[in-house]
Amino acid sequence: MRRRLRLFALAAAASLSAVAAHASEINIYTTREAGLIEPLLKAYTEKTGVKVKTVFMKEGLAERVAAEGRNSPADLLMAVDVGSLIELADKGVTQPVKSETLDAAIPANLRDAKGNWFALSSRARVLYASKSLTSLTSFTYEELADPKWKGRICMRSGQHPYNTALIAAHIAHHGLAATETWLKGVKANLARKPGGGDRDIARDILGGICDIGIGNSYYVGLMRSGKGKPEQKAWGEGINVVLPIFEKGGTHVNVSGAALAKHAPHRQEAIALLEFLVSDEGQALYAEANFEYPVKQGVRIAPLIEALGPLKVDPVALTEISAHRKQASELVDKVEFDS
């Protein structure tokens, strides 16, 4: 009997060792740009020895995980905006996480009440402006439709999640009809067809194609730090940056975040990675490596971003803004913004 018990214990130990070895990796599906998360994942691997494999995709994250079903190797799903995080939960490809660490680090308005997704960093949608506009030190999003800017604005696609979120925020503030009028006004002020990325807007302002444009705050840090291509440093230094606000509101922010996949093979390991990403160390890495605003209070902001000035975050809840994303997307098509 003792021999059998000993053999059983040895077999169990071997089995646990095999499981542990198998679990020493985490699989992430993400729509984030590779360069924006790889420094954090590398730091985690160096700290823990756990390998992190990533699959990068531009779109179709929820659809892919749903199609893979129980056979999906995905442990964590990382997305670039709150709307995409909510979509993951709505499509049933996430599972709730209960973690005192996550709840303590992330404000309630930046995480799902049921634990289906968590914000890990935030960024502001700011105004890039020509350095010739020396008197432009304050701005409202509503002013983008002012006729004085006719032929002077550059934007990326209205259907990009960054811009649909901004349009959705305008709906939350002013209603659907007023937002349609505003969006038509913005379209009338465009200097070129919407397209490219936020950094292309800075390039085009420097090149004299337009005078102002809307872009994310962290791209300013990436350009000015020289972490992008050499020419991007000139783009970043060739613009002024203003933190716009909504009338009777604040600056629009969006978040990048993550959710635990419904059939995560390495559930506990994935949660441990999430908890690392909201630790002081993880949040500092977000701030330093990505020039994003930490979601955890008390973590220092990167100097290049802190230099943009104090951020007054718009008080409208992200979940309310996200509820208008479909209407925002439909408005983009209705006014033929991208045409």
Side-chain angles (χ1 to χ4, degrees), residues 270-316:
I271 294 173
L273 174 55
L274 278 176
E275 291 177 341
F276 167 78
L277 293 175
V278 298
S279 67
D280 287 350
E281 181 181 355
Q283 288 288 284
L285 282 169
Y286 265 115
E288 294 167 12
N290 296 346
F291 302 99
E292 294 182 290
Y293 292 97
V295 294
K296 186 176 184 180
Q297 296 297 312
V299 178
R300 187 183 177 191
I301 301 169
L304 283 172
I305 299 303
E306 190 174 27
L308 302 182
L311 174 66
K312 176 189 174 184
V313 177
D314 190 55
V316 177

CSV table of all heavy atoms in Angstrom, one decimal, residues 270-316:
chain,number,residue,atom,x,y,z
A,270,ALA,N,-2.4,34.2,-16.4
A,270,ALA,CA,-2.8,35.4,-17.1
A,270,ALA,C,-3.3,36.5,-16.1
A,270,ALA,O,-3.0,37.7,-16.3
A,270,ALA,CB,-4.0,35.0,-18.0
A,271,ILE,N,-3.9,36.1,-15.0
A,271,ILE,CA,-4.3,37.0,-14.0
A,271,ILE,C,-3.1,37.6,-13.3
A,271,ILE,O,-3.1,38.8,-13.0
A,271,ILE,CB,-5.2,36.3,-13.0
A,271,ILE,CG1,-6.6,35.9,-13.6
A,271,ILE,CG2,-5.5,37.3,-11.8
A,271,ILE,CD1,-7.5,35.1,-12.7
A,272,ALA,N,-2.1,36.8,-13.1
A,272,ALA,CA,-0.8,37.3,-12.5
A,272,ALA,C,-0.2,38.4,-13.4
A,272,ALA,O,0.3,39.4,-12.9
A,272,ALA,CB,0.1,36.1,-12.3
A,273,LEU,N,-0.3,38.2,-14.7
A,273,LEU,CA,0.3,39.2,-15.6
A,273,LEU,C,-0.6,40.5,-15.6
A,273,LEU,O,0.0,41.6,-15.5
A,273,LEU,CB,0.3,38.6,-17.1
A,273,LEU,CG,0.7,39.6,-18.2
A,273,LEU,CD1,2.0,40.3,-17.9
A,273,LEU,CD2,0.7,39.0,-19.5
A,274,LEU,N,-1.9,40.3,-15.5
A,274,LEU,CA,-2.7,41.5,-15.4
A,274,LEU,C,-2.4,42.3,-14.1
A,274,LEU,O,-2.3,43.5,-14.1
A,274,LEU,CB,-4.2,41.1,-15.3
A,274,LEU,CG,-5.0,40.8,-16.6
A,274,LEU,CD1,-6.4,40.3,-16.3
A,274,LEU,CD2,-5.0,42.1,-17.4
A,275,GLU,N,-2.2,41.6,-13.0
A,275,GLU,CA,-1.8,42.2,-11.7
A,275,GLU,C,-0.5,42.9,-11.8
A,275,GLU,O,-0.3,44.0,-11.2
A,275,GLU,CB,-1.9,41.2,-10.6
A,275,GLU,CG,-3.3,40.7,-10.3
A,275,GLU,CD,-3.4,39.6,-9.3
A,275,GLU,OE1,-2.4,39.0,-9.0
A,275,GLU,OE2,-4.5,39.4,-8.7
A,276,PHE,N,0.5,42.3,-12.6
A,276,PHE,CA,1.8,43.0,-12.7
A,276,PHE,C,1.6,44.3,-13.5
A,276,PHE,O,2.2,45.3,-13.2
A,276,PHE,CB,2.7,42.0,-13.5
A,276,PHE,CG,4.0,42.7,-14.0
A,276,PHE,CD1,5.0,43.0,-13.1
A,276,PHE,CD2,4.1,43.1,-15.3
A,276,PHE,CE1,6.1,43.7,-13.6
A,276,PHE,CE2,5.2,43.8,-15.8
A,276,PHE,CZ,6.2,44.1,-14.9
A,277,LEU,N,0.7,44.3,-14.5
A,277,LEU,CA,0.6,45.4,-15.4
A,277,LEU,C,-0.1,46.6,-14.6
A,277,LEU,O,0.1,47.7,-15.1
A,277,LEU,CB,-0.3,45.1,-16.6
A,277,LEU,CG,0.4,44.1,-17.6
A,277,LEU,CD1,-0.5,43.7,-18.7
A,277,LEU,CD2,1.7,44.7,-18.2
A,278,VAL,N,-0.7,46.4,-13.5
A,278,VAL,CA,-1.3,47.5,-12.7
A,278,VAL,C,-0.5,47.7,-11.4
A,278,VAL,O,-0.9,48.5,-10.6
A,278,VAL,CB,-2.8,47.3,-12.4
A,278,VAL,CG1,-3.6,47.2,-13.6
A,278,VAL,CG2,-3.0,46.0,-11.5
A,279,SER,N,0.6,47.0,-11.3
A,279,SER,CA,1.5,47.3,-10.2
A,279,SER,C,2.3,48.6,-10.4
A,279,SER,O,2.2,49.2,-11.5
A,279,SER,CB,2.6,46.2,-10.0
A,279,SER,OG,3.5,46.2,-11.1
A,280,ASP,N,2.9,49.1,-9.4
A,280,ASP,CA,3.7,50.4,-9.6
A,280,ASP,C,4.7,50.2,-10.7
A,280,ASP,O,4.9,51.1,-11.5
A,280,ASP,CB,4.4,50.7,-8.3
A,280,ASP,CG,3.5,51.3,-7.2
A,280,ASP,OD1,2.3,51.5,-7.5
A,280,ASP,OD2,3.9,51.5,-6.0
A,281,GLU,N,5.4,49.0,-10.7
A,281,GLU,CA,6.4,48.8,-11.7
A,281,GLU,C,5.8,48.7,-13.1
A,281,GLU,O,6.3,49.3,-14.0
A,281,GLU,CB,7.1,47.4,-11.4
A,281,GLU,CG,8.2,47.1,-12.4
A,281,GLU,CD,8.9,45.8,-12.1
A,281,GLU,OE1,8.5,45.1,-11.1
A,281,GLU,OE2,9.7,45.3,-12.9
A,282,GLY,N,4.7,48.0,-13.2
A,282,GLY,CA,4.0,47.9,-14.5
A,282,GLY,C,3.5,49.2,-15.1
A,282,GLY,O,3.6,49.5,-16.2
A,283,GLN,N,2.9,49.9,-14.2
A,283,GLN,CA,2.3,51.2,-14.5
A,283,GLN,C,3.4,52.2,-14.9
A,283,GLN,O,3.3,53.0,-15.8
A,283,GLN,CB,1.4,51.8,-13.4
A,283,GLN,CG,0.1,51.0,-13.3
A,283,GLN,CD,-0.9,51.3,-14.4
A,283,GLN,OE1,-1.5,52.4,-14.4
A,283,GLN,NE2,-1.0,50.4,-15.3
A,284,ALA,N,4.5,52.2,-14.2
A,284,ALA,CA,5.7,53.0,-14.5
A,284,ALA,C,6.2,52.7,-15.9
A,284,ALA,O,6.6,53.6,-16.7
A,284,ALA,CB,6.8,52.9,-13.5
A,285,LEU,N,6.2,51.4,-16.2
A,285,LEU,CA,6.7,51.0,-17.6
A,285,LEU,C,5.7,51.5,-18.7
A,285,LEU,O,6.2,51.9,-19.7
A,285,LEU,CB,6.7,49.4,-17.6
A,285,LEU,CG,8.0,48.8,-17.0
A,285,LEU,CD1,7.8,47.3,-16.9
A,285,LEU,CD2,9.2,49.1,-17.7
A,286,TYR,N,4.4,51.5,-18.4
A,286,TYR,CA,3.5,52.0,-19.4
A,286,TYR,C,3.8,53.5,-19.6
A,286,TYR,O,3.8,54.0,-20.7
A,286,TYR,CB,2.0,51.9,-18.8
A,286,TYR,CG,1.3,50.7,-19.3
A,286,TYR,CD1,0.9,49.7,-18.5
A,286,TYR,CD2,0.9,50.6,-20.7
A,286,TYR,CE1,0.2,48.6,-18.9
A,286,TYR,CE2,0.2,49.5,-21.1
A,286,TYR,CZ,-0.2,48.5,-20.3
A,286,TYR,OH,-0.9,47.4,-20.7
A,287,ALA,N,4.0,54.2,-18.5
A,287,ALA,CA,4.3,55.7,-18.6
A,287,ALA,C,5.6,56.0,-19.3
A,287,ALA,O,5.7,56.9,-20.1
A,287,ALA,CB,4.3,56.3,-17.2
A,288,GLU,N,6.6,55.2,-19.0
A,288,GLU,CA,7.9,55.4,-19.5
A,288,GLU,C,8.1,54.9,-21.0
A,288,GLU,O,8.6,55.6,-21.8
A,288,GLU,CB,9.0,54.8,-18.6
A,288,GLU,CG,9.1,55.4,-17.2
A,288,GLU,CD,9.9,54.6,-16.3
A,288,GLU,OE1,10.6,53.7,-16.7
A,288,GLU,OE2,9.9,54.9,-15.1
A,289,ALA,N,7.6,53.7,-21.2
A,289,ALA,CA,7.8,53.1,-22.5
A,289,ALA,C,6.8,53.6,-23.5
A,289,ALA,O,7.2,53.7,-24.7
A,289,ALA,CB,7.7,51.5,-22.3
A,290,ASN,N,5.6,53.8,-23.1
A,290,ASN,CA,4.5,54.2,-24.0
A,290,ASN,C,4.0,55.6,-24.0
A,290,ASN,O,3.2,56.0,-24.8
A,290,ASN,CB,3.3,53.2,-23.8
A,290,ASN,CG,3.6,51.8,-24.1
A,290,ASN,OD1,4.6,51.5,-24.7
A,290,ASN,ND2,2.7,50.9,-23.7
A,291,PHE,N,4.5,56.3,-23.0
A,291,PHE,CA,4.1,57.7,-22.8
A,291,PHE,C,2.6,57.8,-22.6
A,291,PHE,O,1.9,58.8,-23.1
A,291,PHE,CB,4.5,58.6,-24.0
A,291,PHE,CG,6.0,58.6,-24.2
A,291,PHE,CD1,6.6,57.8,-25.1
A,291,PHE,CD2,6.9,59.3,-23.3
A,291,PHE,CE1,8.0,57.7,-25.3
A,291,PHE,CE2,8.2,59.3,-23.5
A,291,PHE,CZ,8.8,58.5,-24.5
A,292,GLU,N,2.0,56.8,-21.9
A,292,GLU,CA,0.6,56.9,-21.6
A,292,GLU,C,0.4,57.3,-20.2
A,292,GLU,O,1.3,57.3,-19.3
A,292,GLU,CB,0.0,55.5,-21.8
A,292,GLU,CG,0.0,55.1,-23.3
A,292,GLU,CD,-0.7,53.7,-23.6
A,292,GLU,OE1,-0.1,52.7,-23.2
A,292,GLU,OE2,-1.7,53.7,-24.2
A,293,TYR,N,-0.9,57.7,-19.8
A,293,TYR,CA,-1.2,58.0,-18.5
A,293,TYR,C,-1.5,56.8,-17.7
A,293,TYR,O,-2.3,55.9,-18.1
A,293,TYR,CB,-2.4,58.9,-18.4
A,293,TYR,CG,-2.2,60.3,-19.0
A,293,TYR,CD1,-2.6,60.6,-20.3
A,293,TYR,CD2,-1.7,61.4,-18.2
A,293,TYR,CE1,-2.4,61.9,-20.9
A,293,TYR,CE2,-1.5,62.6,-18.8
A,293,TYR,CZ,-1.9,62.9,-20.1
A,293,TYR,OH,-1.7,64.1,-20.6
A,294,PRO,N,-0.9,56.6,-16.5
A,294,PRO,CA,-1.2,55.4,-15.7
A,294,PRO,C,-2.6,55.4,-15.2
A,294,PRO,O,-3.2,56.5,-15.0
A,294,PRO,CB,-0.2,55.5,-14.5
A,294,PRO,CG,0.8,56.5,-15.0
A,294,PRO,CD,0.1,57.4,-15.9
A,295,VAL,N,-3.2,54.3,-15.0
A,295,VAL,CA,-4.6,54.3,-14.5
A,295,VAL,C,-4.5,54.2,-12.9
A,295,VAL,O,-5.4,54.6,-12.2
A,295,VAL,CB,-5.4,53.1,-15.0
A,295,VAL,CG1,-5.7,53.2,-16.5
A,295,VAL,CG2,-4.7,51.7,-14.7
A,296,LYS,N,-3.4,53.8,-12.4
A,296,LYS,CA,-3.2,53.7,-11.0
A,296,LYS,C,-2.7,55.1,-10.5
A,296,LYS,O,-1.8,55.7,-11.0
A,296,LYS,CB,-2.1,52.7,-10.6
A,296,LYS,CG,-2.0,52.4,-9.1
A,296,LYS,CD,-1.0,51.3,-8.8
A,296,LYS,CE,-0.9,51.0,-7.3
A,296,LYS,NZ,0.0,49.9,-7.0
A,297,GLN,N,-3.3,55.6,-9.5
A,297,GLN,CA,-3.0,56.9,-8.9
A,297,GLN,C,-1.6,56.8,-8.2
A,297,GLN,O,-1.2,55.8,-7.7
A,297,GLN,CB,-4.0,57.3,-7.9
A,297,GLN,CG,-5.4,57.5,-8.4
A,297,GLN,CD,-5.4,58.7,-9.5
A,297,GLN,OE1,-4.9,59.8,-9.2
A,297,GLN,NE2,-6.0,58.4,-10.6
A,298,GLY,N,-0.9,57.9,-8.3
A,298,GLY,CA,0.4,58.1,-7.7
A,298,GLY,C,1.6,57.6,-8.5
A,298,GLY,O,2.8,57.8,-8.0
A,299,VAL,N,1.4,57.1,-9.7
A,299,VAL,CA,2.5,56.7,-10.5
A,299,VAL,C,2.9,57.9,-11.4
A,299,VAL,O,2.1,58.5,-12.0
A,299,VAL,CB,2.1,55.5,-11.4
A,299,VAL,CG1,3.3,55.1,-12.3
A,299,VAL,CG2,1.7,54.3,-10.6
A,300,ARG,N,4.2,58.1,-11.4
A,300,ARG,CA,4.7,59.3,-12.1
A,300,ARG,C,4.4,59.3,-13.6
A,300,ARG,O,4.6,58.2,-14.2
A,300,ARG,CB,6.2,59.5,-11.9
A,300,ARG,CG,6.7,60.8,-12.5
A,300,ARG,CD,8.2,61.0,-12.3
A,300,ARG,NE,8.7,62.2,-12.9
A,300,ARG,CZ,10.0,62.5,-13.1
A,300,ARG,NH1,10.9,61.6,-12.7
A,300,ARG,NH2,10.3,63.6,-13.6
A,301,ILE,N,4.0,60.4,-14.2
A,301,ILE,CA,3.8,60.5,-15.6
A,301,ILE,C,5.1,60.8,-16.3
A,301,ILE,O,6.0,61.5,-15.7
A,301,ILE,CB,2.8,61.6,-15.9
A,301,ILE,CG1,1.4,61.3,-15.2
A,301,ILE,CG2,2.5,61.8,-17.4
A,301,ILE,CD1,0.5,62.5,-15.2
A,302,ALA,N,5.3,60.3,-17.5
A,302,ALA,CA,6.5,60.6,-18.2
A,302,ALA,C,6.7,62.1,-18.4
A,302,ALA,O,5.7,62.8,-18.7
A,302,ALA,CB,6.5,59.9,-19.6
A,303,PRO,N,7.9,62.6,-18.2
A,303,PRO,CA,8.1,64.1,-18.3
A,303,PRO,C,7.6,64.7,-19.6
A,303,PRO,O,7.1,65.8,-19.6
A,303,PRO,CB,9.6,64.2,-18.1
A,303,PRO,CG,10.0,63.0,-17.3
A,303,PRO,CD,9.1,61.9,-17.8
A,304,LEU,N,7.8,64.0,-20.7
A,304,LEU,CA,7.4,64.6,-22.0
A,304,LEU,C,5.8,64.7,-22.0
A,304,LEU,O,5.3,65.6,-22.7
A,304,LEU,CB,7.8,63.7,-23.2
A,304,LEU,CG,9.3,63.8,-23.6
A,304,LEU,CD1,9.6,62.7,-24.6
A,304,LEU,CD2,9.6,65.2,-24.1
A,305,ILE,N,5.1,63.9,-21.3
A,305,ILE,CA,3.7,64.0,-21.3
A,305,ILE,C,3.2,65.0,-20.2
A,305,ILE,O,2.3,65.8,-20.4
A,305,ILE,CB,3.0,62.6,-21.1
A,305,ILE,CG1,3.4,61.7,-22.2
A,305,ILE,CG2,1.5,62.7,-20.9
A,305,ILE,CD1,3.0,62.2,-23.6
A,306,GLU,N,3.9,64.9,-19.1
A,306,GLU,CA,3.6,65.9,-18.0
A,306,GLU,C,3.8,67.3,-18.5
A,306,GLU,O,3.0,68.2,-18.1
A,306,GLU,CB,4.5,65.6,-16.8
A,306,GLU,CG,4.2,66.4,-15.6
A,306,GLU,CD,5.0,66.0,-14.4
A,306,GLU,OE1,6.2,65.5,-14.6
A,306,GLU,OE2,4.6,66.1,-13.2
A,307,ALA,N,4.7,67.5,-19.4
A,307,ALA,CA,5.0,68.9,-19.9
A,307,ALA,C,3.9,69.4,-20.8
A,307,ALA,O,3.8,70.6,-21.0
A,307,ALA,CB,6.3,68.9,-20.8
A,308,LEU,N,2.9,68.6,-21.2
A,308,LEU,CA,1.8,69.0,-22.0
A,308,LEU,C,0.8,69.8,-21.1
A,308,LEU,O,-0.1,70.6,-21.7
A,308,LEU,CB,1.0,67.8,-22.6
A,308,LEU,CG,1.8,66.9,-23.5
A,308,LEU,CD1,0.9,65.8,-24.1
A,308,LEU,CD2,2.5,67.7,-24.6
A,309,GLY,N,0.9,69.7,-19.8
A,309,GLY,CA,0.1,70.5,-18.9
A,309,GLY,C,-0.9,69.6,-18.1
A,309,GLY,O,-1.0,68.4,-18.4
A,310,PRO,N,-1.6,70.2,-17.1
A,310,PRO,CA,-2.5,69.4,-16.3
A,310,PRO,C,-3.7,68.8,-17.1
A,310,PRO,O,-4.2,69.5,-17.9
A,310,PRO,CB,-2.9,70.3,-15.2
A,310,PRO,CG,-2.7,71.7,-15.8
A,310,PRO,CD,-1.5,71.6,-16.7
A,311,LEU,N,-4.0,67.6,-16.9
A,311,LEU,CA,-5.1,66.9,-17.6
A,311,LEU,C,-6.3,67.0,-16.7
A,311,LEU,O,-6.3,66.4,-15.6
A,311,LEU,CB,-4.7,65.5,-17.9
A,311,LEU,CG,-5.8,64.6,-18.5
A,311,LEU,CD1,-6.1,65.1,-19.9
A,311,LEU,CD2,-5.3,63.1,-18.5
A,312,LYS,N,-7.4,67.6,-17.3
A,312,LYS,CA,-8.7,67.6,-16.6
A,312,LYS,C,-9.6,66.6,-17.4
A,312,LYS,O,-10.1,66.9,-18.5
A,312,LYS,CB,-9.3,69.0,-16.7
A,312,LYS,CG,-10.7,69.0,-16.1
A,312,LYS,CD,-11.4,70.4,-16.4
A,312,LYS,CE,-12.8,70.4,-15.9
A,312,LYS,NZ,-13.5,71.7,-16.3
A,313,VAL,N,-9.7,65.4,-16.9
A,313,VAL,CA,-10.4,64.3,-17.6
A,313,VAL,C,-11.9,64.6,-17.7
A,313,VAL,O,-12.5,65.0,-16.7
A,313,VAL,CB,-10.2,63.0,-16.9
A,313,VAL,CG1,-11.0,61.9,-17.6
A,313,VAL,CG2,-8.7,62.6,-16.9
A,314,ASP,N,-12.5,64.4,-18.8
A,314,ASP,CA,-13.9,64.6,-19.0
A,314,ASP,C,-14.7,63.7,-18.1
A,314,ASP,O,-14.4,62.5,-18.0
A,314,ASP,CB,-14.3,64.3,-20.4
A,314,ASP,CG,-15.7,64.7,-20.7
A,314,ASP,OD1,-16.1,65.9,-20.5
A,314,ASP,OD2,-16.5,63.9,-21.2
A,315,PRO,N,-15.7,64.2,-17.3
A,315,PRO,CA,-16.3,63.4,-16.3
A,315,PRO,C,-17.3,62.3,-16.9
A,315,PRO,O,-17.8,61.5,-16.1
A,315,PRO,CB,-17.1,64.4,-15.5
A,315,PRO,CG,-17.3,65.6,-16.4
A,315,PRO,CD,-16.1,65.6,-17.3
A,316,VAL,N,-17.7,62.4,-18.1
A,316,VAL,CA,-18.6,61.5,-18.7
A,316,VAL,C,-18.0,60.1,-18.6
A,316,VAL,O,-16.9,59.9,-19.1
A,316,VAL,CB,-19.0,61.8,-20.1
A,316,VAL,CG1,-20.0,60.8,-20.7
A,316,VAL,CG2,-19.7,63.2,-20.2
